Amino acid sequence: MKVAIVLGTRPEIIKLAPIIRKIGSKNCSVIFTGQHYDNQMGLGFMRALDLPKPNYSLNITKSNSQLQISEIIAKLSKILIKERPDTVMIQGDTNTVLAAGICSLKSNIPISHVESGLRSNDWRMPEEHNRIVVDHLSELLFAPTKITKSNLQCEKVHGKIFVTGNTVIDAINIYSKISRKKSKLSITSSDFILFTLHRSENVDNKKILSSIIKGVINSNENIIFPIHPRTKKRLHEFGLYNKLFQNKNIKILDSVGYFEILELMKNCIFIVTDSGGIQEEATSPVIRKKVLVVRKTTDRPEAVESKMAEIVGLDEKNISNSIKKTMKSPKLQSKKTPYGKGDASEKILKILQNNF
């Protein structure tokens, strides 16, 4: 069995790391696209997770979404012709995933899609376009939950569907053991709320971003806010950064790494975020924190159904009131993550071995 794993962003690296470790370098070629425009940072992140150096780095140069996808296809096609893997494995819903899916299909190589079947039903999200297309191109679909399996069945995808759990829980089980030692943050208090914000439909819209920021500020709670570079740029552009910077209750951090985020999640009271990955990670027994989701919809309904997450929308008053309300009762009732026991990578490996 020969698997080509294509990845390009930090979430993809995290969620594919347990699979890469399980398969081993003998049966696996790792192809790194560098979608986040800083190739060395991405490679450094892989080293931090104790992953082998990628067999190929595409060093893509385009930032425009359409040009980025076409550049990945052009460069990846040459590698696939050379490698001729039994399957190309991709994870999630990024431009890397869409490009690799199209390229694999046209190269007549079966696609194995990790974390398939997620749906937000929000067409504003570029990720929604990507994941729907790729799910319909894939031969093996690794759905993390019964809900995601049902989504795929309703759409009548042609590939084989397997419920595996989510590899993000595997990753936390592996890396939470060393996160305190590896983290560059010194966290001396647990009396804070963790706040993250990065989605384009939130931060690129001045009205929406202003509403979210006002809601967070008006809660008057102690908040730690590691700012994503995209978000920081928009905050300055829309004249909102100083409002945060001058607020005594909000501690702003530059964008932090995976180990730092793990430590912040482990030590906070609860989380306010628009991140899909954090909605999953927070359900892990290692973390177990309530999440307030600042979005209209979520592609992780399992977390909401288990009452580990709550959609609070984009209205500033609702965000503020939800933070205050949760502060009074932040403890979770549910003790079981809906995303599996942390053996998803093992299940996926067995399925690959049975099919290739």
Side-chain angles (χ1 to χ4, degrees), residues 93-315:
D93 47 30
T94 65
N95 286 344
T96 288
V97 170
L98 179 61
I102 294 170
C103 188
S104 302
L105 178 72
K106 295 304 179 182
S107 301
N108 294 314
I109 300 171
I111 302 161
S112 297
H113 187 201
V114 177
E115 199 180 71
S116 62
L118 274 67
R119 297 291 183 268
S120 67
N121 300 308
D122 185 348
W123 203 244
R124 297 175 306 146
M125 296 175 58
E127 296 88 347
E128 186 79 349
H129 317 158
N130 296 347
R131 61 170 71 115
I132 289 173
V133 171
V134 170
D135 279 338
H136 285 269
L137 301 182
S138 299
E139 298 298 327
L140 300 182
L141 300 106
F142 303 117
T145 67
K146 291 180 180 178
I147 289 176
T148 51
K149 176 183 178 180
S150 178
N151 290 338
L152 295 168
Q153 289 174 325
C154 288
E155 291 179 13
K156 295 181 170 58
V157 298
H158 81 278
K160 298 178 184 177
I161 306 167
F162 305 88
V163 177
T164 60
N166 197 305
T167 57
V168 77
I169 305 299
D170 302 39
I172 289 178
N173 288 349
I174 294 168
Y175 296 112
S176 64
K177 297 173 184 176
I178 59 172
S179 60
R180 186 175 180 181
K181 182 179 178 181
K182 292 271 191 178
S183 173
K184 296 176 183 177
L185 283 179
S186 177
I187 302 172
T188 56
S189 169
S190 59
D191 184 27
F192 68 90
I193 297 164
L194 174 62
F195 173 47
T196 78
L197 194 71
H198 77 282
R199 304 200 67 82
S200 60
E201 63 268 23
N202 281 344
V203 304
D204 291 347
N205 184 303
K206 183 178 180 179
K207 184 179 179 180
I208 292 174
L209 183 58
S210 298
S211 181
I212 294 171
I213 295 302
K214 287 178 183 177
V216 170
I217 289 173
N218 292 340
S219 72
N220 294 316
E221 300 293 348
N222 293 326
I223 289 167
I224 292 181
F225 182 19
I227 300 188
H228 189 280
R230 179 194 195 113
T231 308
K232 187 175 183 178
K233 179 180 178 182
R234 293 291 184 254
L235 287 170
H236 281 293
E237 185 180 321
F238 299 148
L240 297 168
Y241 185 84
N242 285 339
K243 290 183 180 180
L244 284 167
F245 186 76
Q246 293 167 4
N247 190 288
K248 295 179 180 179
N249 294 328
I250 298 175
K251 182 178 181 180
I252 295 175
L253 303 176
D254 284 331
S255 183
V256 298
Y258 180 52
F259 296 119
E260 287 75 21
I261 282 289
L262 282 179
E263 287 301 297
L264 287 168
M265 286 195 291
K266 284 195 284 185
N267 287 280
C268 71
I269 301 169
F270 63 92
I271 303 166
V272 180
T273 188
D274 63 357
S275 165
I278 286 179
Q279 290 175 60
E280 298 162 346
E281 291 167 325
T283 70
S284 163
V286 175
I287 297 171
R288 290 198 69 251
K289 298 293 167 63
K290 178 72 176 284
V291 176
L292 301 184
V293 183
V294 283
R295 283 164 60 177
K296 289 183 177 180
T297 61
T298 181
D299 32 25
R300 275 78 175 181
E302 301 88 350
V304 175
E305 288 186 6
S306 64
K307 297 184 178 180
M308 292 180 157
E310 177 185 347
I311 301 171
V312 299
L314 303 170
D315 177 74

Side-chain angles (χ1 to χ4, degrees), residues 22-152:
K22 286 273 183 193
I23 294 178
S25 57
K26 184 179 178 181
N27 297 312
C28 173
S29 293
V30 177
I31 304 165
F32 180 57
T33 67
Q35 182 182 317
H36 276 171
Y37 325 125
D38 191 331
N39 200 60
Q40 289 306 312
M41 186 179 292
L43 294 174
F45 184 62
M46 294 183 76
R47 285 194 298 271
L49 296 188
D50 199 26
L51 295 175
K53 183 180 178 181
N55 300 84
Y56 301 92
S57 292
L58 301 190
N59 295 306
I60 62 169
T61 60
K62 308 299 183 186
S63 57
N64 174 278
S65 186
Q66 295 95 318
L67 295 177
Q68 192 178 78
I69 289 168
S70 63
E71 184 179 3
I72 293 172
I73 291 173
K75 292 182 176 180
L76 180 59
S77 62
K78 297 174 183 177
I79 296 171
L80 295 184
I81 290 170
K82 177 183 175 183
E83 288 286 322
R84 299 308 304 176
D86 295 307
T87 184
V88 170
M89 175 172 285
I90 46 183
Q91 187 281 327
D93 47 30
T94 65
N95 286 344
T96 288
V97 170
L98 179 61
I102 294 170
C103 188
S104 302
L105 178 72
K106 295 304 179 182
S107 301
N108 294 314
I109 300 171
I111 302 161
S112 297
H113 187 201
V114 177
E115 199 180 71
S116 62
L118 274 67
R119 297 291 183 268
S120 67
N121 300 308
D122 185 348
W123 203 244
R124 297 175 306 146
M125 296 175 58
E127 296 88 347
E128 186 79 349
H129 317 158
N130 296 347
R131 61 170 71 115
I132 289 173
V133 171
V134 170
D135 279 338
H136 285 269
L137 301 182
S138 299
E139 298 298 327
L140 300 182
L141 300 106
F142 303 117
T145 67
K146 291 180 180 178
I147 289 176
T148 51
K149 176 183 178 180
S150 178
N151 290 338
L152 295 168

